[in-house]
Amino acid sequence: MLIKTKKSSQLSEQQVTDESFYHSRRDVLKQLGYLGAGSLLAQSASANAGALDFFSSKKDVLFQQQALKFQQASESSQILTPEAKVTSHNNFYEFGTGKGDPVENAQGFKVDPWQLKISGEVDKPFTLGYDDLFKSFPLEERIYRLRCVEAWSMVIPWIGFPLAELIKRAAPNSRAKYVAFETLYDPEQMPGQASRRIGGGVKYPYVEGLRIDEAMNPLTLMSVGLYGKTLPAQNGAPIRLVVPWKYGFKSIKSIVGIKLVEHKPPTTWNMLAANEYGFYANVNPDVDHPRWSQASERRLTTGGLLARNRIATLPFNGYGEEVADMYKNMDLRKDY
Ligand SMILES: Nc1nc2c(c(=O)[nH]1)N[C@H]1C(S)=C(S)[C@@H](COP(=O)(O)O)O[C@H]1N2
Ligand SMILES: [Mo]
């Protein structure tokens, strides 16, 4: 699948390190004896592993190891989180608040038939059925970092289409200033909606919102799949939002309603704790959560030691080049 617009922050499949490639490089390094306890950083280093053969003297080998570390440092933001992790470590409170609850409780979730209704301040409202979700707009693959407000993050290969395409088709009118999203409400299928205890006290249905320019930004994706397959239920099947420069809670799952509206819509986490979760929720290492720091994050990569990979959090989750302009007249400490 093609990535249409490629900026520095948009990764292509060739640029990232997938799980099997990671392991094969690891084996090469191991054979060469470079995988001692002190050289963990070199584990994922380098398409140039073969080039190590050319370094004969001890000094040159050390130099090369140093170079590999640099390469690892710049590559660490690009290692794909393994599929098994992406689909088993989830936040989807409709299916329970534990990270392992959604994969367990969402297995029987019925997504076909589905109805996604686009309405509100538009000239051409429409509804998409299950099959329409996959064939109405050209699908593309986007590899994005997902930064949860809880300070962990993943790198996920999504499949989807720009939200802008869907909105354009609805022909918004001049009153359309915000976009309001709503998750399915079905307590019979979603145990978290039937029980305050299981659902963490959240008011359902889960709702989210974006300003219209944020919704129209080319990075904003409607996702129908990941790792080359349709979305697993626990990741928000059959269709969810992905806004890579914002905290993960903005990326609302299992959407049934998209409404263009004139006024800023209510959003679930903001309603629950306005002092902790703002409407904008742009990833920002300089604005701490009242109960923890947002300066760094735990990147979920592979199992083992790297699973505890602590890295610096970047403003706008590293997508500033594409999105910072939208906020140039705002105080992001106030509008967190
Ligand atoms: N409807 C709904 N959408 C949701 C959530 C939720 O609980 N319910 N959790 C959010 C949070 S906090 C995060 S971090 C992401 C996690 O997406 P993932 O499980 O696919 O990684 O989904 C977001 N979307
Ligand atoms: Mo999150």
PDB file of all heavy atoms in Angstrom, residues 201-236:
ATOM      1  N   GLY A 201     -16.043   3.720  35.902  1.00  0.00           N
ATOM      2  CA  GLY A 201     -16.760   4.936  36.277  1.00  0.00           C
ATOM      3  C   GLY A 201     -16.887   5.956  35.155  1.00  0.00           C
ATOM      4  O   GLY A 201     -17.294   7.088  35.380  1.00  0.00           O
ATOM      5  N   VAL A 202     -16.512   5.550  33.927  1.00  0.00           N
ATOM      6  CA  VAL A 202     -16.623   6.457  32.786  1.00  0.00           C
ATOM      7  C   VAL A 202     -18.092   6.537  32.364  1.00  0.00           C
ATOM      8  O   VAL A 202     -18.833   5.568  32.446  1.00  0.00           O
ATOM      9  CB  VAL A 202     -15.768   5.921  31.608  1.00  0.00           C
ATOM     10  CG1 VAL A 202     -16.057   6.692  30.324  1.00  0.00           C
ATOM     11  CG2 VAL A 202     -14.287   6.003  31.957  1.00  0.00           C
ATOM     12  N   LYS A 203     -18.522   7.727  31.907  1.00  0.00           N
ATOM     13  CA  LYS A 203     -19.882   7.898  31.410  1.00  0.00           C
ATOM     14  C   LYS A 203     -19.894   7.493  29.928  1.00  0.00           C
ATOM     15  O   LYS A 203     -19.122   8.009  29.131  1.00  0.00           O
ATOM     16  CB  LYS A 203     -20.274   9.375  31.576  1.00  0.00           C
ATOM     17  CG  LYS A 203     -21.707   9.693  31.223  1.00  0.00           C
ATOM     18  CD  LYS A 203     -22.033  11.133  31.684  1.00  0.00           C
ATOM     19  CE  LYS A 203     -23.346  11.617  31.080  1.00  0.00           C
ATOM     20  NZ  LYS A 203     -23.200  12.021  29.664  1.00  0.00           N
ATOM     21  N   TYR A 204     -20.770   6.544  29.594  1.00  0.00           N
ATOM     22  CA  TYR A 204     -20.822   6.051  28.218  1.00  0.00           C
ATOM     23  C   TYR A 204     -22.066   6.540  27.509  1.00  0.00           C
ATOM     24  O   TYR A 204     -23.058   6.804  28.161  1.00  0.00           O
ATOM     25  CB  TYR A 204     -20.768   4.508  28.227  1.00  0.00           C
ATOM     26  CG  TYR A 204     -19.459   4.000  28.760  1.00  0.00           C
ATOM     27  CD1 TYR A 204     -19.369   3.470  30.045  1.00  0.00           C
ATOM     28  CD2 TYR A 204     -18.311   4.081  27.978  1.00  0.00           C
ATOM     29  CE1 TYR A 204     -18.156   3.016  30.541  1.00  0.00           C
ATOM     30  CE2 TYR A 204     -17.090   3.636  28.479  1.00  0.00           C
ATOM     31  CZ  TYR A 204     -17.019   3.099  29.750  1.00  0.00           C
ATOM     32  OH  TYR A 204     -15.818   2.667  30.235  1.00  0.00           O
ATOM     33  N   PRO A 205     -22.064   6.657  26.163  1.00  0.00           N
ATOM     34  CA  PRO A 205     -20.973   6.278  25.284  1.00  0.00           C
ATOM     35  C   PRO A 205     -19.756   7.207  25.383  1.00  0.00           C
ATOM     36  O   PRO A 205     -19.895   8.385  25.679  1.00  0.00           O
ATOM     37  CB  PRO A 205     -21.600   6.388  23.884  1.00  0.00           C
ATOM     38  CG  PRO A 205     -22.649   7.437  24.028  1.00  0.00           C
ATOM     39  CD  PRO A 205     -23.195   7.254  25.415  1.00  0.00           C
ATOM     40  N   TYR A 206     -18.596   6.626  25.118  1.00  0.00           N
ATOM     41  CA  TYR A 206     -17.332   7.375  25.043  1.00  0.00           C
ATOM     42  C   TYR A 206     -17.465   8.369  23.894  1.00  0.00           C
ATOM     43  O   TYR A 206     -17.918   8.023  22.805  1.00  0.00           O
ATOM     44  CB  TYR A 206     -16.222   6.371  24.756  1.00  0.00           C
ATOM     45  CG  TYR A 206     -14.785   6.822  24.934  1.00  0.00           C
ATOM     46  CD1 TYR A 206     -14.062   6.424  26.056  1.00  0.00           C
ATOM     47  CD2 TYR A 206     -14.125   7.558  23.953  1.00  0.00           C
ATOM     48  CE1 TYR A 206     -12.728   6.771  26.207  1.00  0.00           C
ATOM     49  CE2 TYR A 206     -12.784   7.910  24.097  1.00  0.00           C
ATOM     50  CZ  TYR A 206     -12.094   7.506  25.227  1.00  0.00           C
ATOM     51  OH  TYR A 206     -10.769   7.832  25.374  1.00  0.00           O
ATOM     52  N   VAL A 207     -17.118   9.619  24.171  1.00  0.00           N
ATOM     53  CA  VAL A 207     -17.185  10.647  23.132  1.00  0.00           C
ATOM     54  C   VAL A 207     -15.853  11.391  23.043  1.00  0.00           C
ATOM     55  O   VAL A 207     -15.120  11.502  24.020  1.00  0.00           O
ATOM     56  CB  VAL A 207     -18.328  11.659  23.394  1.00  0.00           C
ATOM     57  CG1 VAL A 207     -19.690  11.008  23.177  1.00  0.00           C
ATOM     58  CG2 VAL A 207     -18.229  12.255  24.796  1.00  0.00           C
ATOM     59  N   GLU A 208     -15.543  11.876  21.871  1.00  0.00           N
ATOM     60  CA  GLU A 208     -14.316  12.643  21.654  1.00  0.00           C
ATOM     61  C   GLU A 208     -14.586  13.753  20.659  1.00  0.00           C
ATOM     62  O   GLU A 208     -15.672  13.806  20.060  1.00  0.00           O
ATOM     63  CB  GLU A 208     -13.167  11.746  21.148  1.00  0.00           C
ATOM     64  CG  GLU A 208     -12.174  11.400  22.244  1.00  0.00           C
ATOM     65  CD  GLU A 208     -11.606  12.629  22.957  1.00  0.00           C
ATOM     66  OE1 GLU A 208     -11.581  13.716  22.352  1.00  0.00           O
ATOM     67  OE2 GLU A 208     -11.196  12.519  24.128  1.00  0.00           O
ATOM     68  N   GLY A 209     -13.612  14.636  20.498  1.00  0.00           N
ATOM     69  CA  GLY A 209     -13.803  15.738  19.574  1.00  0.00           C
ATOM     70  C   GLY A 209     -12.499  16.327  19.077  1.00  0.00           C
ATOM     71  O   GLY A 209     -11.453  16.190  19.720  1.00  0.00           O
ATOM     72  N   LEU A 210     -12.566  16.951  17.918  1.00  0.00           N
ATOM     73  CA  LEU A 210     -11.428  17.657  17.329  1.00  0.00           C
ATOM     74  C   LEU A 210     -11.934  18.988  16.781  1.00  0.00           C
ATOM     75  O   LEU A 210     -13.118  19.116  16.436  1.00  0.00           O
ATOM     76  CB  LEU A 210     -10.831  16.856  16.156  1.00  0.00           C
ATOM     77  CG  LEU A 210     -10.174  15.518  16.447  1.00  0.00           C
ATOM     78  CD1 LEU A 210      -9.817  14.820  15.125  1.00  0.00           C
ATOM     79  CD2 LEU A 210      -8.923  15.689  17.312  1.00  0.00           C
ATOM     80  N   ARG A 211     -11.033  19.963  16.708  1.00  0.00           N
ATOM     81  CA  ARG A 211     -11.341  21.174  15.971  1.00  0.00           C
ATOM     82  C   ARG A 211     -11.309  20.791  14.495  1.00  0.00           C
ATOM     83  O   ARG A 211     -10.598  19.873  14.113  1.00  0.00           O
ATOM     84  CB  ARG A 211     -10.268  22.223  16.297  1.00  0.00           C
ATOM     85  CG  ARG A 211     -10.781  23.642  16.423  1.00  0.00           C
ATOM     86  CD  ARG A 211      -9.722  24.523  17.020  1.00  0.00           C
ATOM     87  NE  ARG A 211      -8.453  24.417  16.260  1.00  0.00           N
ATOM     88  CZ  ARG A 211      -7.289  24.925  16.658  1.00  0.00           C
ATOM     89  NH1 ARG A 211      -7.215  25.583  17.797  1.00  0.00           N
ATOM     90  NH2 ARG A 211      -6.202  24.781  15.920  1.00  0.00           N
ATOM     91  N   ILE A 212     -12.046  21.543  13.659  1.00  0.00           N
ATOM     92  CA  ILE A 212     -12.172  21.138  12.252  1.00  0.00           C
ATOM     93  C   ILE A 212     -10.813  21.094  11.534  1.00  0.00           C
ATOM     94  O   ILE A 212     -10.549  20.192  10.743  1.00  0.00           O
ATOM     95  CB  ILE A 212     -13.181  22.044  11.484  1.00  0.00           C
ATOM     96  CG1 ILE A 212     -13.448  21.503  10.081  1.00  0.00           C
ATOM     97  CG2 ILE A 212     -12.741  23.484  11.449  1.00  0.00           C
ATOM     98  CD1 ILE A 212     -14.342  20.300  10.021  1.00  0.00           C
ATOM     99  N   ASP A 213      -9.918  22.045  11.850  1.00  0.00           N
ATOM    100  CA  ASP A 213      -8.612  22.024  11.172  1.00  0.00           C
ATOM    101  C   ASP A 213      -7.793  20.799  11.605  1.00  0.00           C
ATOM    102  O   ASP A 213      -7.045  20.224  10.813  1.00  0.00           O
ATOM    103  CB  ASP A 213      -7.826  23.326  11.405  1.00  0.00           C
ATOM    104  CG  ASP A 213      -7.581  23.622  12.873  1.00  0.00           C
ATOM    105  OD1 ASP A 213      -8.421  23.225  13.719  1.00  0.00           O
ATOM    106  OD2 ASP A 213      -6.547  24.245  13.194  1.00  0.00           O
ATOM    107  N   GLU A 214      -7.953  20.371  12.856  1.00  0.00           N
ATOM    108  CA  GLU A 214      -7.264  19.163  13.315  1.00  0.00           C
ATOM    109  C   GLU A 214      -7.828  17.938  12.597  1.00  0.00           C
ATOM    110  O   GLU A 214      -7.097  17.029  12.204  1.00  0.00           O
ATOM    111  CB  GLU A 214      -7.452  18.989  14.827  1.00  0.00           C
ATOM    112  CG  GLU A 214      -6.892  20.126  15.656  1.00  0.00           C
ATOM    113  CD  GLU A 214      -7.164  19.939  17.145  1.00  0.00           C
ATOM    114  OE1 GLU A 214      -8.275  19.511  17.514  1.00  0.00           O
ATOM    115  OE2 GLU A 214      -6.256  20.223  17.947  1.00  0.00           O
ATOM    116  N   ALA A 215      -9.142  17.933  12.442  1.00  0.00           N
ATOM    117  CA  ALA A 215      -9.799  16.800  11.776  1.00  0.00           C
ATOM    118  C   ALA A 215      -9.377  16.713  10.314  1.00  0.00           C
ATOM    119  O   ALA A 215      -9.248  15.620   9.756  1.00  0.00           O
ATOM    120  CB  ALA A 215     -11.313  16.939  11.884  1.00  0.00           C
ATOM    121  N   MET A 216      -9.147  17.879   9.689  1.00  0.00           N
ATOM    122  CA  MET A 216      -8.786  17.913   8.273  1.00  0.00           C
ATOM    123  C   MET A 216      -7.283  17.742   8.048  1.00  0.00           C
ATOM    124  O   MET A 216      -6.832  17.605   6.907  1.00  0.00           O
ATOM    125  CB  MET A 216      -9.226  19.243   7.631  1.00  0.00           C
ATOM    126  CG  MET A 216     -10.721  19.510   7.668  1.00  0.00           C
ATOM    127  SD  MET A 216     -11.690  18.250   6.812  1.00  0.00           S
ATOM    128  CE  MET A 216     -11.355  18.631   5.090  1.00  0.00           C
ATOM    129  N   ASN A 217      -6.480  17.741   9.120  1.00  0.00           N
ATOM    130  CA  ASN A 217      -5.030  17.585   8.954  1.00  0.00           C
ATOM    131  C   ASN A 217      -4.718  16.238   8.293  1.00  0.00           C
ATOM    132  O   ASN A 217      -5.311  15.224   8.659  1.00  0.00           O
ATOM    133  CB  ASN A 217      -4.332  17.679  10.317  1.00  0.00           C
ATOM    134  CG  ASN A 217      -2.826  17.692  10.168  1.00  0.00           C
ATOM    135  OD1 ASN A 217      -2.205  16.665   9.939  1.00  0.00           O
ATOM    136  ND2 ASN A 217      -2.230  18.867  10.265  1.00  0.00           N
ATOM    137  N   PRO A 218      -3.816  16.238   7.318  1.00  0.00           N
ATOM    138  CA  PRO A 218      -3.525  14.992   6.590  1.00  0.00           C
ATOM    139  C   PRO A 218      -3.064  13.834   7.483  1.00  0.00           C
ATOM    140  O   PRO A 218      -3.177  12.667   7.079  1.00  0.00           O
ATOM    141  CB  PRO A 218      -2.404  15.382   5.615  1.00  0.00           C
ATOM    142  CG  PRO A 218      -2.430  16.862   5.536  1.00  0.00           C
ATOM    143  CD  PRO A 218      -3.067  17.391   6.781  1.00  0.00           C
ATOM    144  N   LEU A 219      -2.549  14.118   8.684  1.00  0.00           N
ATOM    145  CA  LEU A 219      -2.110  13.020   9.555  1.00  0.00           C
ATOM    146  C   LEU A 219      -3.273  12.294  10.225  1.00  0.00           C
ATOM    147  O   LEU A 219      -3.127  11.155  10.688  1.00  0.00           O
ATOM    148  CB  LEU A 219      -1.180  13.545  10.657  1.00  0.00           C
ATOM    149  CG  LEU A 219       0.216  14.013  10.292  1.00  0.00           C
ATOM    150  CD1 LEU A 219       1.044  14.229  11.557  1.00  0.00           C
ATOM    151  CD2 LEU A 219       0.919  13.023   9.380  1.00  0.00           C
ATOM    152  N   THR A 220      -4.418  12.949  10.319  1.00  0.00           N
ATOM    153  CA  THR A 220      -5.551  12.372  11.061  1.00  0.00           C
ATOM    154  C   THR A 220      -6.186  11.239  10.268  1.00  0.00           C
ATOM    155  O   THR A 220      -6.667  11.432   9.154  1.00  0.00           O
ATOM    156  CB  THR A 220      -6.585  13.470  11.381  1.00  0.00           C
ATOM    157  OG1 THR A 220      -5.910  14.532  12.061  1.00  0.00           O
ATOM    158  CG2 THR A 220      -7.698  12.921  12.262  1.00  0.00           C
ATOM    159  N   LEU A 221      -6.161  10.062  10.888  1.00  0.00           N
ATOM    160  CA  LEU A 221      -6.521   8.850  10.152  1.00  0.00           C
ATOM    161  C   LEU A 221      -7.760   8.174  10.738  1.00  0.00           C
ATOM    162  O   LEU A 221      -7.940   8.118  11.945  1.00  0.00           O
ATOM    163  CB  LEU A 221      -5.332   7.877  10.251  1.00  0.00           C
ATOM    164  CG  LEU A 221      -5.304   6.706   9.272  1.00  0.00           C
ATOM    165  CD1 LEU A 221      -4.970   7.184   7.862  1.00  0.00           C
ATOM    166  CD2 LEU A 221      -4.276   5.655   9.725  1.00  0.00           C
ATOM    167  N   MET A 222      -8.605   7.658   9.852  1.00  0.00           N
ATOM    168  CA  MET A 222      -9.637   6.712  10.257  1.00  0.00           C
ATOM    169  C   MET A 222      -9.053   5.337   9.973  1.00  0.00           C
ATOM    170  O   MET A 222      -8.731   5.017   8.829  1.00  0.00           O
ATOM    171  CB  MET A 222     -10.915   6.911   9.435  1.00  0.00           C
ATOM    172  CG  MET A 222     -11.617   8.235   9.684  1.00  0.00           C
ATOM    173  SD  MET A 222     -12.196   8.428  11.387  1.00  0.00           S
ATOM    174  CE  MET A 222     -13.498   7.219  11.453  1.00  0.00           C
ATOM    175  N   SER A 223      -8.896   4.517  11.011  1.00  0.00           N
ATOM    176  CA  SER A 223      -8.225   3.233  10.819  1.00  0.00           C
ATOM    177  C   SER A 223      -9.215   2.078  10.820  1.00  0.00           C
ATOM    178  O   SER A 223     -10.108   2.004  11.670  1.00  0.00           O
ATOM    179  CB  SER A 223      -7.181   3.022  11.921  1.00  0.00           C
ATOM    180  OG  SER A 223      -6.684   1.686  11.856  1.00  0.00           O
ATOM    181  N   VAL A 224      -9.026   1.190   9.850  1.00  0.00           N
ATOM    182  CA  VAL A 224      -9.850  -0.030   9.763  1.00  0.00           C
ATOM    183  C   VAL A 224      -8.987  -1.284   9.894  1.00  0.00           C
ATOM    184  O   VAL A 224      -9.500  -2.404   9.786  1.00  0.00           O
ATOM    185  CB  VAL A 224     -10.645  -0.082   8.441  1.00  0.00           C
ATOM    186  CG1 VAL A 224     -11.671   1.045   8.387  1.00  0.00           C
ATOM    187  CG2 VAL A 224      -9.708  -0.032   7.225  1.00  0.00           C
ATOM    188  N   GLY A 225      -7.675  -1.098  10.124  1.00  0.00           N
ATOM    189  CA  GLY A 225      -6.819  -2.274  10.222  1.00  0.00           C
ATOM    190  C   GLY A 225      -5.471  -1.955  10.823  1.00  0.00           C
ATOM    191  O   GLY A 225      -5.109  -0.787  11.009  1.00  0.00           O
ATOM    192  N   LEU A 226      -4.740  -3.000  11.190  1.00  0.00           N
ATOM    193  CA  LEU A 226      -3.347  -2.840  11.607  1.00  0.00           C
ATOM    194  C   LEU A 226      -2.584  -4.111  11.275  1.00  0.00           C
ATOM    195  O   LEU A 226      -3.181  -5.188  11.149  1.00  0.00           O
ATOM    196  CB  LEU A 226      -3.245  -2.464  13.092  1.00  0.00           C
ATOM    197  CG  LEU A 226      -3.818  -3.357  14.178  1.00  0.00           C
ATOM    198  CD1 LEU A 226      -2.905  -4.529  14.509  1.00  0.00           C
ATOM    199  CD2 LEU A 226      -4.042  -2.519  15.446  1.00  0.00           C
ATOM    200  N   TYR A 227      -1.292  -3.977  11.105  1.00  0.00           N
ATOM    201  CA  TYR A 227      -0.444  -5.106  10.708  1.00  0.00           C
ATOM    202  C   TYR A 227      -1.053  -5.873   9.518  1.00  0.00           C
ATOM    203  O   TYR A 227      -1.030  -7.099   9.485  1.00  0.00           O
ATOM    204  CB  TYR A 227      -0.216  -6.045  11.901  1.00  0.00           C
ATOM    205  CG  TYR A 227       1.092  -5.759  12.640  1.00  0.00           C
ATOM    206  CD1 TYR A 227       1.101  -5.109  13.872  1.00  0.00           C
ATOM    207  CD2 TYR A 227       2.322  -6.124  12.091  1.00  0.00           C
ATOM    208  CE1 TYR A 227       2.295  -4.842  14.538  1.00  0.00           C
ATOM    209  CE2 TYR A 227       3.518  -5.869  12.739  1.00  0.00           C
ATOM    210  CZ  TYR A 227       3.504  -5.232  13.965  1.00  0.00           C
ATOM    211  OH  TYR A 227       4.691  -4.972  14.609  1.00  0.00           O
ATOM    212  N   GLY A 228      -1.628  -5.134   8.552  1.00  0.00           N
ATOM    213  CA  GLY A 228      -2.113  -5.761   7.326  1.00  0.00           C
ATOM    214  C   GLY A 228      -3.396  -6.553   7.462  1.00  0.00           C
ATOM    215  O   GLY A 228      -3.791  -7.254   6.534  1.00  0.00           O
ATOM    216  N   LYS A 229      -4.076  -6.451   8.610  1.00  0.00           N
ATOM    217  CA  LYS A 229      -5.335  -7.178   8.832  1.00  0.00           C
ATOM    218  C   LYS A 229      -6.418  -6.205   9.289  1.00  0.00           C
ATOM    219  O   LYS A 229      -6.104  -5.100   9.719  1.00  0.00           O
ATOM    220  CB  LYS A 229      -5.139  -8.249   9.917  1.00  0.00           C
ATOM    221  CG  LYS A 229      -4.072  -9.249   9.583  1.00  0.00           C
ATOM    222  CD  LYS A 229      -3.672 -10.024  10.835  1.00  0.00           C
ATOM    223  CE  LYS A 229      -2.375 -10.789  10.575  1.00  0.00           C
ATOM    224  NZ  LYS A 229      -1.647 -11.079  11.799  1.00  0.00           N
ATOM    225  N   THR A 230      -7.687  -6.658   9.242  1.00  0.00           N
ATOM    226  CA  THR A 230      -8.736  -5.812   9.804  1.00  0.00           C
ATOM    227  C   THR A 230      -8.474  -5.640  11.296  1.00  0.00           C
ATOM    228  O   THR A 230      -7.799  -6.456  11.927  1.00  0.00           O
ATOM    229  CB  THR A 230     -10.130  -6.435   9.600  1.00  0.00           C
ATOM    230  OG1 THR A 230     -10.122  -7.754  10.124  1.00  0.00           O
ATOM    231  CG2 THR A 230     -10.511  -6.450   8.120  1.00  0.00           C
ATOM    232  N   LEU A 231      -8.996  -4.547  11.852  1.00  0.00           N
ATOM    233  CA  LEU A 231      -8.738  -4.240  13.266  1.00  0.00           C
ATOM    234  C   LEU A 231      -9.262  -5.342  14.175  1.00  0.00           C
ATOM    235  O   LEU A 231     -10.402  -5.763  14.044  1.00  0.00           O
ATOM    236  CB  LEU A 231      -9.467  -2.961  13.672  1.00  0.00           C
ATOM    237  CG  LEU A 231      -8.876  -1.591  13.402  1.00  0.00           C
ATOM    238  CD1 LEU A 231      -9.779  -0.537  14.033  1.00  0.00           C
ATOM    239  CD2 LEU A 231      -7.459  -1.475  13.935  1.00  0.00           C
ATOM    240  N   PRO A 232      -8.459  -5.793  15.132  1.00  0.00           N
ATOM    241  CA  PRO A 232      -9.006  -6.661  16.179  1.00  0.00           C
ATOM    242  C   PRO A 232     -10.008  -5.858  17.024  1.00  0.00           C
ATOM    243  O   PRO A 232      -9.869  -4.641  17.160  1.00  0.00           O
ATOM    244  CB  PRO A 232      -7.771  -7.026  17.014  1.00  0.00           C
ATOM    245  CG  PRO A 232      -6.590  -6.704  16.173  1.00  0.00           C
ATOM    246  CD  PRO A 232      -7.018  -5.562  15.287  1.00  0.00           C
ATOM    247  N   ALA A 233     -10.996  -6.554  17.579  1.00  0.00           N
ATOM    248  CA  ALA A 233     -12.027  -5.882  18.374  1.00  0.00           C
ATOM    249  C   ALA A 233     -11.404  -5.007  19.455  1.00  0.00           C
ATOM    250  O   ALA A 233     -11.830  -3.869  19.684  1.00  0.00           O
ATOM    251  CB  ALA A 233     -12.953  -6.922  19.005  1.00  0.00           C
ATOM    252  N   GLN A 234     -10.375  -5.523  20.125  1.00  0.00           N
ATOM    253  CA  GLN A 234      -9.792  -4.796  21.248  1.00  0.00           C
ATOM    254  C   GLN A 234      -9.087  -3.505  20.823  1.00  0.00           C
ATOM    255  O   GLN A 234      -8.827  -2.629  21.639  1.00  0.00           O
ATOM    256  CB  GLN A 234      -8.824  -5.702  22.040  1.00  0.00           C
ATOM    257  CG  GLN A 234      -7.636  -6.233  21.271  1.00  0.00           C
ATOM    258  CD  GLN A 234      -7.913  -7.543  20.547  1.00  0.00           C
ATOM    259  OE1 GLN A 234      -9.048  -7.844  20.197  1.00  0.00           O
ATOM    260  NE2 GLN A 234      -6.864  -8.329  20.312  1.00  0.00           N
ATOM    261  N   ASN A 235      -8.759  -3.366  19.534  1.00  0.00           N
ATOM    262  CA  ASN A 235      -8.130  -2.144  19.043  1.00  0.00           C
ATOM    263  C   ASN A 235      -9.143  -1.166  18.435  1.00  0.00           C
ATOM    264  O   ASN A 235      -8.762  -0.141  17.875  1.00  0.00           O
ATOM    265  CB  ASN A 235      -7.040  -2.470  18.021  1.00  0.00           C
ATOM    266  CG  ASN A 235      -5.855  -3.172  18.654  1.00  0.00           C
ATOM    267  OD1 ASN A 235      -5.807  -4.413  18.685  1.00  0.00           O
ATOM    268  ND2 ASN A 235      -4.909  -2.424  19.200  1.00  0.00           N
ATOM    269  N   GLY A 236     -10.437  -1.512  18.514  1.00  0.00           N
ATOM    270  CA  GLY A 236     -11.438  -0.537  18.074  1.00  0.00           C
ATOM    271  C   GLY A 236     -12.174  -0.874  16.801  1.00  0.00           C
ATOM    272  O   GLY A 236     -12.636   0.030  16.096  1.00  0.00           O
TER     273      GLY A 236
END
